[in-house]
Amino acid sequence: SSGINAEYGGATYVSIHNGGGVGWGEVMNGGFGMVLDGTKEAGETAESMLHWDVSNGVCRRSWDGHHLARSAIAKTQETVPGYNLTHCVVADDALLKDL
């Protein structure tokens, strides 16, 4: 979904392709590219897209439970207007034992 979401953020193009670093035939990956022509608008779009792309990766790692990623996302959410993320909630192991 990263590549598809990038289209809405201002990417010049998006790509959806097989493989990537995890093995051919295993997963579908997405990416984006941008043409930066030196205009103010292109600079604003680049800043937005690069922020989004990096934060998207950090957010996924925070959902995996990485404490530094959680901290980084919390700080980003406090400092970037309009940046709203779904945070994961870690289940209490004691509650899971009773399931």
Side-chain angles (χ1 to χ4, degrees):
S1 70
S2 302
I4 301 301
N5 290 332
E7 179 181 359
Y8 296 107
T12 305
Y13 67 89
V14 298
S15 64
I16 299 174
H17 48 88
N18 193 316
V22 296
W24 187 259
E26 303 284 330
V27 299
M28 294 299 292
N29 285 339
F32 69 90
M34 300 183 70
V35 174
L36 303 175
D37 61 7
T39 62
K40 180 181 176 187
E41 292 80 14
E44 291 169 353
T45 300
E47 183 177 349
S48 173
M49 283 298 300
L50 293 173
H51 176 77
W52 174 85
D53 186 56
V54 170
S55 294
N56 184 38
V58 175
C59 189
R60 289 194 328 264
R61 281 142 186 89
S62 77
W63 293 335
D64 282 343
H66 194 286
H67 70 283
L68 293 175
R70 286 185 184 187
S71 175
I73 287 299
K75 183 176 181 180
T76 300
Q77 199 159 345
E78 290 173 7
T79 58
V80 178
Y83 198 74
N84 189 15
L85 300 167
T86 301
H87 292 274
C88 70
V89 176
V90 179
D92 184 339
D93 286 337
L95 293 174
L96 293 176
K97 286 182 181 180
D98 295 333
L99 292 178

